[in-house]
């Protein structure tokens, strides 16, 4: 077996050693296998059942179109999908392929879709040619059903550590890892703060993304070493390399073990500054790891993950139960629930093709913009969060605010949600704090209104970097330009912290930068006293806080603030961390 190394971007540190398990993903990687003649019937029945499921799904969507809030073209759009689904070229032809070629249903459908797409490409009429996208969307819906979504991920082997290898994984795919326990994963695509990477980090397993062709080069069952800290994957290592990495793995685990002693220690700098170290979570069950790592609260609950990997949207009661679970689980410690930040790379199944997603979704209808465009959905969530305020110390956090009008509209909707609960005599905390995320440069540069109208702020550095540098955070092709230490980014962060501190408004950082030990001292010097990060990063950052004297580090922090040469800045930062 040939041994070779692949390089990518390590998005979650540590070392894992295990066997490769390759993952297919919807149409991009439809498996092709032959089925025995006697199973052809069952395979056709499986195809029929997937088509029926999608029919029901479309019917469900149609019957949900009762309110006046929904644009008329929604219905027409669903009708087109219904017609495509029921056209024999899509619902019957694949069955012939299954029977004639004795192949699996996914393959038959993908082949037939290819034939149809080719036919559409020949059409001269531009309008009709554009219907090609609808055919692909309908076929993908059926494919997802066939491939068992949700739950496409194969179960890991019980005996050996399993490492997942995929071309690409969506955040929704990765969140399923929480239940699957893979030792590590690697993908061909992905940027350093894509939501896929963020969820990987929260799983506390090594992960390397942007390996370009791992999915093609690695075979099922091959032995792999994934070193997330050094951004490298070794395929079929020889015995000496394996032994070396086992040693490093033990050292890494030991260091992590040692950190556990800091769990209940108060986070205080050498010169007596108290620091809040809170946790970022995606699901209610993350409360356990947050508390186990000494979190003093939840600084960011990415509530949109409740909307992924499921059919239909979670109703008010279901959301309320999830929020209440977190509120109660944190036993009075603050719980900051971010209203859902859907759109861009986080698309619920139910919105497939429905959301008005622009070609560059990161600049489109996302987060609070989406919420304000879908007020019914937003009100449901706001009511659910408000109900949970009765069971703990819950705060509301609004993502991606840019304008005063968005703040005003959001506050008006919260007032409306409160009013409706009052009318029904449902208890809630009327003084619930409402905060805003600082993720767009405009929000920093015009922070005055944010300070006047909101109770607290939280800097989402992942998006702030993306929008300041115009670099898509999920695109590995431009990941070399994604630079948290760009002077413009540091300047904006400094401005936001300075402005909020002066106005007496609490401010936190909850983007990935908050969990970077190399940046802890810099943030403290900039005046930050509240951090929120993955539970697995809390103790490492706490250790750094305990070793920092803010006063004596100030001269260096000031020089970093003023530096606009990247090399000089890196040198100064190294000095600050020495
Ligand atoms: C951020 O943008 O920094 C952030 C914390 O939010 P998300 O990563 O979920 O966009
Ligand atoms: Mg964000």
């Amino acid at each position: 077996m040939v041994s070779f190394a692949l390089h990518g971007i390590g998005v979650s540190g540590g070392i894992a050693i295990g066997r490769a398990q390759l993952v297919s993903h919807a149409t991009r990687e439809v498996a092709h296998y032959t089925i025995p003649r006697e199973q052809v019937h069952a395979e056709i029945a499986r195809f029929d059942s997937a088509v029926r499921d999608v029919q029901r799904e479309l019917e469900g969507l149609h019957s949900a179109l009762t309110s006046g809030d929904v644009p008329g073209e929604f219905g027409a759009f669903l009708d087109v999908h219904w017609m495509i689904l029921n056209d024999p070229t899509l619902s019957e032809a694949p069955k012939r392929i299954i029977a004639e070629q004795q192949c699996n249903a996914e393959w038959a459908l993908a082949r037939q879709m290819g034939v149809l797409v080719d036919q559409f490409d020949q059409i001269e009429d531009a309008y009709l040619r554009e219907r090609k996208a609808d055919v692909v969307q309908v076929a993908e819906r059926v494919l997802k059903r066939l491939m068992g979504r949700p739950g496409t991920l194969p179960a890991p082997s019980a005996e050996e550590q399993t490492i997942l290898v995929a071309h690409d994984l969506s955040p929704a795919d990765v969140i399923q890892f929480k239940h699957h326990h893979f030792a590590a994963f690697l993908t061909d695509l992905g940027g350093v703060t894509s939501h896929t990477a963020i969820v990987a980090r929260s799983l506390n397993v090594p992960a390397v993304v942007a390996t370009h062709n791992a999915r093609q080069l690695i075979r099922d069952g091959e032995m792999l070493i994934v070193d997330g800290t050094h951004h490298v994957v070794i395929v079929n290592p020889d015995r000496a390399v394996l032994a070396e990495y086992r040693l490093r793995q033990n050292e890494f685990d030991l260091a992590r073990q040692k950190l556990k002693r800091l769990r209940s220690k108060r986070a205080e700098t050498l010169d007596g500054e108290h620091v809040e170290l809170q946790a970022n979570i995606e699901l209610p069950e993350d409360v356990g790891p947050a508390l186990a790592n000494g979190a003093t609260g939840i600084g960011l609950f990415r509530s949109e993950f409740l909307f992924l990997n499921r059919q239909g949207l979670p109703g008010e009661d279901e959301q309320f139960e999830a929020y209440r679970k977190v509120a109660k689980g944190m036993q009075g410690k603050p719980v900051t629930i971010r209203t859902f930040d859907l759109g861009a790379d986080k698309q619920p199944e139910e919105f497939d093709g429905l959301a008005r997603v622009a070609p560059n979704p990161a600049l489109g209808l996302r987060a609070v913009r989406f919420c304000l465009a879908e007020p019914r959905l937003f009100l449901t969530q706001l009511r659910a969060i408000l109900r949970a305020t009765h069971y703990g110390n819950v705060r509301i956090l609004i993502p991606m605010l840019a304008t005063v009008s968005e703040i005003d509209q959001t506050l008006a909707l919260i007032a409306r949600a409160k009013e409706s609960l009052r009318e029904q005599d449902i208890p809630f905390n009327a003084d619930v704090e409402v905060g805003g995320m600082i993720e767009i440069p405009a929000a920093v540069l015009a922070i005055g209104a944010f300070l006047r109208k909101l109770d607290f702020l939280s800097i989402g550095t992942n998006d702030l970097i993306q929008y300041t540098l115009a670099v898509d955070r999920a695109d590995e092709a431009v990941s070399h330009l994604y630079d948290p230490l760009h002077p413009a980014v540091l300047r904006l962060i400094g401005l936001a912290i300075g402005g909020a501190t002066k106005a007496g408004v609490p401010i936190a950082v909850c983007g990935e930068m908050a969990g970077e030990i190399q940046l802890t001292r810099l943030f403290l010097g900039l005046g930050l006293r509240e951090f929120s990060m993955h539970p697995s990063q809390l103790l490492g950052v706490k250790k750094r806080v305990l070793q920092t004297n803010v006063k004596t580090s100030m001269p260096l922090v000031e020089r970093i603030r003023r530096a606009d040469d990247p090399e000089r800045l890196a040198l100064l930062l190294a000095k600050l961390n020495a």
Side-chain angles (χ1 to χ4, degrees):
M1 260 175 298
V2 193
S3 175
F4 59 96
L6 290 168
H7 296 267
I9 306 172
V11 292
S12 182
I15 293 166
I17 301 172
R19 300 262 169 210
Q21 190 159 348
L22 304 192
V23 185
S24 293
H25 198 261
T27 36
R28 249 173 273 133
E29 293 169 19
V30 170
H32 179 204
Y33 51 90
T34 312
I35 48 169
R37 183 159 293 286
E38 60 275 16
Q39 269 182 29
V40 164
H41 227 65
E43 195 61 11
I44 289 177
R46 194 165 77 85
F47 176 79
D48 275 337
S49 150
V51 171
R52 271 198 307 277
D53 279 350
V54 176
Q55 278 170 343
R56 272 195 292 273
E57 195 176 301
L58 293 177
E59 277 163 13
L61 289 172
H62 219 291
S63 55
L65 299 183
T66 45
S67 96
D69 298 349
V70 185
E73 60 268 26
F74 249 36
F77 167 86
L78 285 176
D79 289 340
V80 170
H81 277 206
W82 174 266
M83 271 160 46
I84 293 171
L85 181 65
N86 289 293
D87 194 283
T89 54
L90 204 80
S91 58
E92 293 298 323
K95 295 198 271 192
R96 262 198 315 279
I97 299 177
I98 296 172
E100 283 166 17
Q101 304 193 10
Q102 279 180 245
C103 65
N104 55 316
E106 291 90 345
W107 178 254
L109 175 58
R111 277 216 40 195
Q112 180 61 11
M113 185 178 87
V115 170
L116 293 175
V117 164
D118 284 349
Q119 286 173 1
F120 271 90
D121 280 338
Q122 317 284 324
I123 296 176
E124 295 217 341
D125 181 304
Y127 174 80
L128 281 178
R129 210 170 43 237
E130 275 173 23
R131 300 282 66 75
K132 180 176 83 174
D134 294 304
V135 172
V136 172
Q137 279 169 10
V138 172
E140 286 206 336
R141 267 184 195 273
V142 180
L143 268 176
K144 279 182 186 171
R145 293 288 173 163
L146 281 171
M147 296 168 98
R149 278 179 67 103
T152 39
L153 297 176
S157 137
E159 307 89 55
E160 270 191 308
Q161 298 268 51
T162 306
I163 293 171
L164 224 60
V165 183
H167 179 64
D168 191 15
L169 292 167
S170 71
D173 291 328
V174 181
I175 200 90
Q176 294 182 68
F177 285 24
K178 296 209 181 198
H179 307 290
H180 282 272
H181 304 296
F182 290 97
F185 78 84
L186 40 135
T187 59
D188 293 342
L189 305 184
V192 71
T193 59
S194 59
H195 285 98
T196 304
I198 287 173
V199 182
R201 224 162 282 144
S202 81
L203 302 175
N204 207 7
V205 295
V208 177
V209 303
T211 57
H212 299 291
N213 45 12
R215 176 67 180 72
Q216 268 189 335
L217 295 175
I218 297 171
R219 287 170 211 288
D220 244 333
E222 280 185 322
M223 181 59 93
L224 303 180
I225 296 172
V226 178
D227 183 344
T229 313
H230 297 101
H231 319 271
V232 69
V233 180
I234 301 169
V235 187
N236 296 319
D238 63 30
R239 283 204 353 224
V241 172
L242 208 53
E244 165 68 20
Y245 271 93
R246 284 206 201 283
L247 213 69
R248 289 194 204 175
Q249 192 181 28
N250 284 341
E251 279 167 11
F252 188 88
D253 292 347
L254 216 68
R256 205 170 248 183
Q257 210 52 33
K258 256 167 106 180
L259 276 180
K260 290 222 166 105
R261 293 190 207 136
L262 298 180
R263 180 179 173 263
S264 40
K265 200 164 170 64
R266 206 174 130 82
E268 207 172 85
T269 63
L270 290 169
D271 50 339
E273 293 287 339
H274 175 67
V275 178
E276 282 291 316
L277 296 180
Q278 304 196 343
N280 292 354
I281 64 169
E282 279 87 35
L283 293 173
E285 55 260 40
D286 298 337
V287 163
L291 289 173
N293 286 286
T296 53
I298 300 298
L300 175 68
F301 177 0
R302 290 186 164 98
S303 67
E304 60 274 12
F305 281 90
L306 299 174
F307 290 68
L308 305 181
N309 284 326
R310 54 174 298 137
Q311 252 96 64
L313 303 173
E316 181 180 318
D317 285 345
E318 188 183 333
Q319 288 188 54
F320 163 61
E321 284 307 334
Y323 305 145
R324 179 167 67 168
K325 200 165 160 193
V326 177
K328 288 183 86 164
M330 289 305 290
Q331 304 148 4
K333 295 185 178 67
V335 172
T336 313
I337 303 177
R338 175 174 74 184
T339 56
F340 58 78
D341 181 350
L342 293 169
D345 60 347
K346 289 181 287 194
Q347 298 280 340
E349 307 261 310
E350 205 68 358
F351 295 174
D352 267 1
L354 294 185
R356 286 144 280 165
V357 176
N360 183 342
L363 297 182
L365 202 58
R366 193 198 135 185
V368 73
R369 301 170 179 184
F370 182 79
C371 290
L372 294 174
E374 301 286 348
R376 266 194 322 155
L377 227 72
F378 198 17
L379 270 174
T380 302
Q381 181 177 39
L382 291 172
R383 275 178 56 103
I385 300 177
L386 285 168
R387 285 169 63 188
T389 60
H390 186 64
Y391 298 89
N393 184 1
V394 173
R395 317 192 296 174
I396 301 175
L397 179 61
I398 312 296
M400 251 193 103
L401 288 165
T403 66
V404 176
S405 139
E406 284 165 346
I407 302 177
D408 289 343
Q409 287 179 63
T410 302
L411 293 176
L413 280 172
I414 293 174
R416 184 141 42 115
K418 284 181 176 175
E419 203 45 53
S420 69
L421 290 175
R422 256 187 223 111
E423 278 164 14
Q424 293 172 284
D425 273 337
I426 297 175
F428 66 93
N429 172 14
D431 299 322
V432 58
E433 289 183 4
V434 180
M437 290 191 73
I438 301 291
E439 309 191 87
I440 300 178
V444 182
L445 298 173
I447 204 165
F450 287 72
L451 297 172
R452 280 193 306 278
K453 290 172 185 270
L454 296 165
D455 299 311
F456 66 97
L457 301 177
S458 192
I459 308 177
T461 51
N462 307 334
D463 279 317
L464 187 62
I465 299 166
Q466 152 166 280
Y467 296 128
T468 304
L469 304 180
V471 174
D472 186 336
R473 61 192 267 195
D475 183 354
E476 83 286 352
V478 286
S479 61
H480 60 291
L481 299 173
Y482 188 92
D483 180 13
L485 293 178
H486 191 292
V489 173
L490 294 184
R491 212 152 288 168
L492 286 168
I493 293 173
L495 273 176
I497 296 173
T501 309
K502 200 161 151 216
V505 174
I507 185 160
V509 169
C510 65
E512 295 305 289
M513 285 174 81
E516 290 288 334
I517 294 168
Q518 299 304 315
L519 301 179
T520 309
R521 281 193 181 148
L522 178 60
F523 278 135
L524 289 169
L526 292 175
L528 189 74
R529 296 294 179 267
E530 257 184 67
F531 296 65
S532 192
M533 64 198 79
H534 296 291
S536 63
Q537 296 167 324
L538 282 164
L539 295 176
V541 170
K542 189 187 277 189
K543 188 171 167 198
R544 184 50 62 105
V545 168
L546 294 169
Q547 300 165 331
T548 298
N549 185 320
V550 184
K551 269 192 210 81
T552 56
S553 63
M554 281 317 280
L556 262 176
V557 171
E558 277 311 318
R559 285 168 71 190
I560 292 175
R561 246 184 205 279
R562 286 195 301 269
D564 49 20
D565 173 59
E567 274 174 33
R568 190 175 144 66
L569 204 144
L571 267 171
L572 289 169
L573 190 65
K575 227 167 155 184
L576 182 66
N577 285 315

